[in-house]
Amino acid sequence: MRVKKRSRHRKAVKFYSTCFGFREPYKVFVDGTFVHHLLVHQLLPADDALRELLSASRPTPLFTSKCVLAELRRLGKSHAEDFDAAQLLATASCEHDKVVSAVDCILSLVGDKNPEHYFVATQDSDLREKLREVPGVPVIYGLKNSLFIEQPSMQQRKFAQLDEEKRIHMEKSEFKKLLKASSEGKASGDGNAPPGVAEKSKFKRNRAKGPNPLSCKKKKQKPQPSDAQNQGPIADGEEKRKRVRKRKRSGKDSNQAETTS
């Protein structure tokens, strides 16, 4: 499978999973024309081929209905191999008392919004055209020995856009209920928030913690000086006497002293 084709298929699957809630394991509903295509082109095992097509991480279950099986049985020996292969698939309950055509059965199973989230695999061009108008119905078809997913139609994209806008914008009735609830809350004086309004979350700030005492070195205690050492320099200073300097007399002074004597 080429890179461009794989990326297109992944985008289509992501669109349906995001906008219509498709989740793994993806369920694939198969009709008789698609079973015949798989057998003719030897795209077997079918669940592995569809799993690779959908880029799924889990096995993809395949479904059919009793109406599809009845239609293959009526085709006779020419489609006996198709009938035998279809019997091995899981049977979806179509709730038809009388057997109807495969197209009508698939359309009734899909309904208006495809509640079971089926990928519909078919080679019927008329059925594929009808399914494009139903929102949330991805279509799988085969072309020779390759399988493809149809890109979402314009109707499906518009429906998804309108649905998203409805979820974003609030309706008038909801807005009135919210105003009424908020006014009642103010009048009662309770501190509780009105229904429909989320309370403000209180975040606790993570304050900086102190260092790990086990990973820190202990402080070395400085040796405290003794009392004798503290008083030592003062006592020595007291005991020392001041040094008296003798001034040398010059020769004149000595002569004058002799004459006076």
Side-chain angles (χ1 to χ4, degrees), residues 70-83:
E71 188 175 74
L72 287 173
R73 190 188 297 109
R74 285 197 300 267
L75 294 175
K77 295 182 179 180
S78 59
H79 289 76
E81 188 178 359
D82 302 339
F83 176 73

Side-chain angles (χ1 to χ4, degrees), residues 132-155:
R132 291 189 195 106
E133 300 177 359
V134 182
V137 183
V139 178
I140 298 173
Y141 66 97
L143 188 62
K144 294 184 179 179
N145 60 347
S146 299
L147 300 178
F148 296 87
I149 304 175
E150 280 193 0
Q151 295 300 309
S153 62
M154 291 300 298
Q155 290 87 346

Side-chain angles (χ1 to χ4, degrees), residues 6-25:
R6 186 186 293 273
S7 63
R8 286 201 305 270
H9 293 165
R10 284 181 177 176
K11 286 181 181 178
V13 174
K14 187 177 181 180
F15 171 80
Y16 288 107
S17 61
T18 304
C19 299
F20 297 99
F22 280 68
R23 296 290 181 269
E24 290 193 40

Side-chain angles (χ1 to χ4, degrees), residues 112-131:
D112 295 333
K113 294 184 180 180
N114 192 12
E116 294 295 329
H117 299 101
Y118 283 123
F119 283 81
V120 179
T122 179
Q123 297 295 106
D124 191 344
S125 57
D126 295 334
L127 177 59
R128 284 163 54 187
E129 187 175 356
K130 292 178 181 178
L131 292 175

Side-chain angles (χ1 to χ4, degrees), residues 223-232:
Q224 296 180 357
S226 60
D227 297 338
Q229 291 178 351
N230 291 335
Q231 296 175 2

Side-chain angles (χ1 to χ4, degrees), residues 85-115:
Q87 278 187 318
L88 300 176
L89 305 179
T91 305
S93 58
C94 57
E95 298 180 358
H96 290 138
D97 296 334
K98 294 182 180 180
V99 177
V100 297
S101 65
V103 174
D104 295 337
C105 180
I106 292 172
L107 291 176
S108 65
L109 279 173
V110 167
D112 295 333
K113 294 184 180 180
N114 192 12

Side-chain angles (χ1 to χ4, degrees), residues 37-234:
H37 181 83
L38 292 175
L39 294 175
V40 169
H41 295 280
Q42 294 298 313
L43 296 173
L44 303 172
D47 51 354
D48 291 343
L50 289 167
R51 180 180 179 180
E52 184 181 357
L53 175 68
L54 301 174
S55 299
S57 59
R58 300 169 63 181
T60 304
L62 306 182
F63 294 86
T64 188
S65 66
K66 62 181 182 181
C67 298
V68 174
L69 293 174
E71 188 175 74
L72 287 173
R73 190 188 297 109
R74 285 197 300 267
L75 294 175
K77 295 182 179 180
S78 59
H79 289 76
E81 188 178 359
D82 302 339
F83 176 73
D84 294 338
Q87 278 187 318
L88 300 176
L89 305 179
T91 305
S93 58
C94 57
E95 298 180 358
H96 290 138
D97 296 334
K98 294 182 180 180
V99 177
V100 297
S101 65
V103 174
D104 295 337
C105 180
I106 292 172
L107 291 176
S108 65
L109 279 173
V110 167
D112 295 333
K113 294 184 180 180
N114 192 12
E116 294 295 329
H117 299 101
Y118 283 123
F119 283 81
V120 179
T122 179
Q123 297 295 106
D124 191 344
S125 57
D126 295 334
L127 177 59
R128 284 163 54 187
E129 187 175 356
K130 292 178 181 178
L131 292 175
R132 291 189 195 106
E133 300 177 359
V134 182
V137 183
V139 178
I140 298 173
Y141 66 97
L143 188 62
K144 294 184 179 179
N145 60 347
S146 299
L147 300 178
F148 296 87
I149 304 175
E150 280 193 0
Q151 295 300 309
S153 62
M154 291 300 298
Q155 290 87 346
Q156 292 176 346
R157 292 185 183 276
K158 287 180 180 179
F159 181 85
Q161 186 176 2
L162 292 173
D163 189 44
E164 186 177 0
E165 289 178 356
K166 286 181 180 179
R167 284 182 289 178
I168 292 173
H169 299 292
M170 189 182 296
E171 296 182 358
K172 290 184 178 180
S173 59
E174 295 178 353
F175 184 70
K176 289 179 180 179
K177 289 180 181 178
L178 185 61
L179 287 177
K180 185 178 180 181
S182 60
S183 61
E184 289 177 356
K186 289 180 181 179
S188 61
D190 296 336
N192 300 328
V197 179
E199 295 182 357
K200 293 183 179 179
S201 57
K202 298 178 181 179
F203 296 99
K204 293 183 179 180
R205 294 184 178 180
N206 294 328
R207 297 182 179 178
K209 297 180 180 179
N212 187 0
L214 299 177
S215 64
C216 298
K217 291 183 178 180
K218 295 182 178 180
K219 293 183 179 180
K220 294 182 178 180
Q221 295 181 356
K222 294 181 179 181
Q224 296 180 357
S226 60
D227 297 338
Q229 291 178 351
N230 291 335
Q231 296 175 2
I234 300 173

